Amino acid sequence: MRRWRKEFRWLYLLGVIVLLTVWHGGSLWLTDRGIRNVEEQVFSRPVVSSEAKPWHAMRFFGDPDAYQWLSLARDLRASGGLRMRQTAADNTPFGREVHWAHLPIWTLAALAQTFEHLVDLSSPVALEWAGRALMPLIGFLYGVALFLILARRLHPWLASLATVAIAISSLYDFHPLRPDHHGFQTAFAVAALLLFMTSGMGWTTSRRNQKAPLRNQPPTYPSARRYLLASGICSGMALWLGATVFTFFLFALATGTALALLTSPSPPTCRVDLHFYPNLYRQWGLAGAGCALLFYLLEYAPGPFSMRLEVNHPAYALWFLGTAECLRALALWKHDHAAFQRRDLGMALVGTTGAALLPLLLLFGPGAWVIPRSPLMLQLHSRYIIDFLPPWHVAPLPVYLEHAPILLLGGLTLALARYADRHQGIPFFCRPPLIVLGAVSLMMGLLYHWQCRWFAFLPPVVTIFSIYLVSAMSQARQDAPPSRRPAAWLPIVLAGLICAQAAHAAFRDLRPLVQMFRAEHMDAGWLQFMLQRNAILQLKAASGGERMRLILPVAMAPAAHYFGLGDAVASLYWENEEGLAATAEFLGDPLPGQRARQVVRERRLTHLLVDSSQRDTRMFYHLLYGKADAPDFQQTLGGALSQPTDARLPDWLCPDQRLTDIASQAWYIYIPANQTWAQFHLPLQVVAFQP
């Protein structure tokens, strides 16, 4: 019987692998094929013809950051080095530092090289396919890892349900058009959380007298230690990929753990073979801190080293170790009070000091250590970067309607978990994971209402929270007295809500792909990126291949470098504060623009691309003066450039009508379903500098 059960679990794993392959591989194929189908209906005039489409030779991507990662991978391969510490993509001609974690860069470069050798693709096409394939591949591996971890604690069918639901709900972070570091961040953070809970959180048991292993029960001490070490390693990886993001996540995990320790019985009386080892928390902290420090050295050794707290730094390793030491002291004081000595109190104070040092440095340290604290970057993030805005500021009704199912699932799970904990016979060992998951889910929900970027953590965390509650209620129906058993329909309803949420996410994400496949409709954001690619490649052809030095809309800066048009001054990366400031000085300079002319001479700029919508020009005015929509905006160079025929432009600015016609060319998309044409164009004006 045991052998059959083991083989049956492998059947579950095989089924999950098949479903993940279909989902991620299908989304990759459907996205690329759908875009190609739409592009085949794009023409330079409203007549179906076989005209040449040179811009069709290169694929576009769905996020400016994607072009940044691809450019770094390409430039790294060209350099023959191991790391990219400088890039010329922006802040031209001086370039800027690169502090992004290299794992996505290395994986993109390795995939591109693999495609070159195995499929015999050219380097540019291999890089394109590496960009398309990276995130679906990471999503697939992430899903398999989730199933393997969840199946150690839950019934395989519950692990399968959670894994598939998470994969469907998290497509945005593992999308073929978005090769980025955010999916890596989510994967390592969720893995760290799951492994931490699977370890027993300090509780262990001896299973020698058990006839068969029980789910929702503590592991043995060796297993608990292995799980905590693995959780620490994943935490160190998460700090490497996004230290500031994982700091909030780990704070929520530590808060939930402290609450679970304080509310658990001391000593637990529900099992005679249950043992608690507070020192496991110290080992967890040492593993996480050591891993974070190792990856810091991998990025920066042998130097030069600097205080860059925007990314992984030894201060984060110290903070992680201090947090773990505080949890160890709390666990020892609560569950083995007699063994709590003065040295343990001293270590707790040292841990508190180490944990408090990082937030003090981030909030009150010199501004040069944390560039996002500068006035310019604070203003940029406060109004112009969607990821840093609350959903009610972006578009309240559409955003909340789109995310309503996962928010409702999280709220209902919190309420049911609270009710079950007070009135139902939830087994003792099910309570600590539920408390931790509840704290993390609540924290991520609150952070999401502060900034949109935190939504990525909600689908996996809320789904795992819900599936753990389903498992706990199912276990309670077996173990609790009849008077305290949960109703049989409660776990069924909760599992049904998980399926409904996943179905909503599948419909939301697959519908636009199917519409593209039928050449009926393309997402407005993707359409914008397609038009930008077309304009950049046509400008590149018109310039004879000579690279430009540009001031252009910041969202186009990474694409301009990737497609080879030229190098930009401004971009939306904190490492490029100097380029942002120079562009703000240029566009915000009062007429006749003497400082702007000086910026052009200093940087030897050749061209300006300005969007007549005034979004960028008004943004830079705000960044320079700290105020927006002021009446004197029209008296600046940016205000004059926003008017195509403004006679106040200084004579060293020469509008190039030929390049303007190319950049703002109208594109016609034929829609076969209703035999109509749709017209689109970018409202761009090209100006040449002759300072």
Side-chain angles (χ1 to χ4, degrees), residues 22 81 85 102 160 163 170 186 188 200 240 257 395 397 409 418 456 541 630:
V22 170
R85 291 269 69 96
H102 273 73
S160 305
T163 301
S170 302
T186 304
F188 286 122
W240 178 31
T257 303
L397 187 59
L409 178 63
R418 179 63 176 165

Side-chain angles (χ1 to χ4, degrees), residues 98-263:
V98 175
H99 291 280
W100 295 29
H102 273 73
L103 183 59
I105 302 173
W106 291 333
T107 49
L108 280 170
L111 275 176
Q113 188 169 10
T114 301
F115 288 142
E116 281 185 40
H117 288 87
L118 293 184
V119 194
D120 194 24
L121 297 176
S122 64
S123 293
V125 176
L127 184 61
E128 284 181 355
W129 273 109
R132 285 285 208 262
L134 175 63
M135 298 319 298
L137 176 61
I138 298 302
F140 171 81
L141 296 175
Y142 168 51
V144 172
L146 283 184
F147 174 82
L148 292 175
I149 299 172
L150 285 169
R152 301 293 297 179
R153 285 287 308 276
L154 309 177
H155 192 284
W157 86 264
L158 289 178
S160 305
L161 174 61
T163 301
V164 174
I166 291 170
I168 293 174
S169 304
S170 302
L171 178 62
Y172 182 77
D173 281 305
F174 300 97
H175 200 282
L177 297 185
R178 300 184 68 251
D180 201 354
H181 63 300
H182 296 299
F184 287 88
Q185 289 178 352
T186 304
F188 286 122
V190 173
L193 171 65
L194 269 181
L195 289 164
F196 182 80
M197 294 187 305
T198 306
S199 73
M201 298 167 56
W203 283 277
T204 66
T205 187
S206 171
R207 294 185 174 177
R208 292 179 220 166
N209 299 325
Q210 296 179 1
K211 295 181 180 179
L214 298 176
R215 297 187 181 91
N216 292 315
Q217 297 298 319
T220 60
Y221 177 82
S223 295
R225 187 170 180 271
R226 286 195 297 269
Y227 284 127
L228 274 179
L229 291 178
S231 174
I233 292 172
C234 288
S235 299
M237 298 281 284
L239 285 172
W240 178 31
L241 269 297
T244 54
V245 171
F246 188 66
T247 298
F248 287 89
F249 191 90
L250 188 61
F251 174 78
L253 188 155
T255 302
T257 303
L259 184 61
L261 290 171
L262 289 173
T263 57

